[in-house]
Amino acid sequence: MTRPMVEAVEVHKSFGHVEVLRGIDLTVMPGEVACVIGPSGSGKSTFLRCINHLERIDAGAMRVDGELIGYREAGGKLHELRESEVARQRRDIGMVFQRFNLFPHKTAAENIMEAPRTVRREPKQASRARAMALLDRVGLSDKYDSFPAQLSGGQQHRVAIARALAMQPRLMLFDEPTSALDPELVGEVLDVMRGLARDGMTMVVVTHEMGFAREVGDTLVFMDEGRIVEAGDPREVLGNPQHERTKAFLSKVL
């Protein structure tokens, strides 16, 4: 049987006395797109950051492609990995944040080349060729030598996606990828993400774009107050929500 690409089991996370995640269970199979929706403060972004151990979990387990993330198990107990070991795990997990976080002093191509050259010690010629191919893939082949300040918000975000893809990840995480964009720029970013889905990339997407979730998502997860309230086929959840909290939320955003 194919093993899950993402498997969260009873994941808990607190910040001080505030319990942000209260027992999250979620399975995402290879090639699937899981879209996560919910009100602000529901724990969506925190959960996403737990997948690659940008936030350490307090209880439960998080696995990516069968590997325990951030911990090793010994003697029936979990022991947190060293930062270098966590960094190795993150190589296979691409993440695109709300803010693009591009290096302002580097061109689009140099931004994409940075991680493969620094982390994987990839030769300059090979990383340059990959950067050109990835910029073409996201529709920016003419922006190879452009600096971030010379790009629109949508273009910067597409460079950020290409940068994450440069490490050839098995999994892509998107944290509200269009929330910081002007409405007319949203479509160009979603088009790139649709292409990734068609190519079989496994993705977990925290989003407010219900149309994208309906069209591209294999699973739609509604979170509220640190819990998964409802999950299922996006068209079913959006068209016929079963939980009153889901109904109340969707009545305000659809």
Side-chain angles (χ1 to χ4, degrees), residues 180-194:
L181 297 178
D182 293 332
E184 65 267 25
L185 302 177
V186 169
E188 61 189 50
V189 174
L190 294 182
D191 282 345
V192 171
M193 295 172 65
R194 288 186 184 97

Side-chain angles (χ1 to χ4, degrees), residues 187-209:
E188 61 189 50
V189 174
L190 294 182
D191 282 345
V192 171
M193 295 172 65
R194 288 186 184 97
L196 291 178
R198 285 194 298 270
D199 292 343
M201 175 63 73
T202 311
M203 297 191 284
V204 182
V205 185
V206 173
T207 185
H208 295 296
E209 301 294 335

Side-chain angles (χ1 to χ4, degrees), residues 5 28-33 170 196-197 199-203 216 218:
M5 181 59 71
V28 183
M29 300 304 292
E32 288 187 345
V33 178
R170 291 175 288 175
L196 291 178
D199 292 343
M201 175 63 73
T202 311
M203 297 191 284
V216 179
D218 296 290

Side-chain angles (χ1 to χ4, degrees), residues 17-234:
H17 297 297
V18 179
E19 193 175 15
V20 180
L21 300 178
R22 307 181 183 192
I24 299 294
D25 291 303
L26 181 65
T27 299
V28 183
M29 300 304 292
E32 288 187 345
V33 178
C35 294
V36 184
I37 64 172
S40 178
S42 59
K44 308 184 300 294
S45 293
T46 297
F47 173 67
L48 201 71
R49 291 169 65 86
C50 286
I51 294 176
N52 63 358
H53 206 65
L54 285 176
E55 298 289 354
R56 62 181 295 276
I57 65 176
D58 297 323
M62 184 73 73
R63 289 181 173 83
V64 171
D65 202 12
E67 183 177 11
L68 201 60
I69 296 297
Y71 298 89
R72 61 179 175 85
E73 194 167 5
K77 294 183 179 180
L78 294 181
H79 304 270
E80 192 164 13
L81 297 178
R82 294 190 298 270
E83 184 57 36
S84 61
E85 295 173 301
V86 176
R88 176 191 59 78
Q89 293 181 326
R90 290 194 188 120
R91 292 180 189 180
D92 295 322
I93 306 172
M95 186 161 187
V96 180
F97 299 88
Q98 290 183 43
R99 300 293 173 178
F100 327 117
N101 298 324
L102 297 177
F103 297 116
H105 61 290
K106 293 182 181 291
T107 65
E110 289 169 341
N111 266 279
I112 296 168
M113 294 165 61
E114 180 71 17
R117 295 202 65 206
T118 302
V119 178
R120 296 195 187 275
R121 306 297 183 193
E122 188 172 82
K124 185 175 182 179
Q125 188 172 356
S127 61
R128 186 186 300 276
R130 178 175 288 117
M132 293 179 69
L134 287 170
L135 283 171
D136 184 59
R137 183 176 183 179
V138 299
L140 294 173
S141 56
D142 60 333
K143 302 297 183 183
Y144 186 86
D145 291 318
S146 298
F147 289 92
Q150 299 171 308
L151 302 174
S152 70
Q155 290 170 335
Q156 289 184 53
H157 221 134
R158 283 186 278 162
V159 172
I161 294 173
R163 181 178 62 179
L165 292 173
M167 290 294 285
Q168 300 174 281
R170 291 175 288 175
L171 168 67
M172 285 285 286
L173 309 176
F174 291 88
D175 188 6
E176 299 188 13
T178 59
S179 64
L181 297 178
D182 293 332
E184 65 267 25
L185 302 177
V186 169
E188 61 189 50
V189 174
L190 294 182
D191 282 345
V192 171
M193 295 172 65
R194 288 186 184 97
L196 291 178
R198 285 194 298 270
D199 292 343
M201 175 63 73
T202 311
M203 297 191 284
V204 182
V205 185
V206 173
T207 185
H208 295 296
E209 301 294 335
M210 302 301 164
F212 174 84
R214 180 186 287 109
E215 175 192 349
V216 179
D218 296 290
T219 301
L220 183 64
V221 176
F222 173 63
M223 288 183 63
D224 188 42
E225 296 184 346
R227 294 186 175 91
I228 293 178
V229 176
E230 189 166 345
D233 182 283

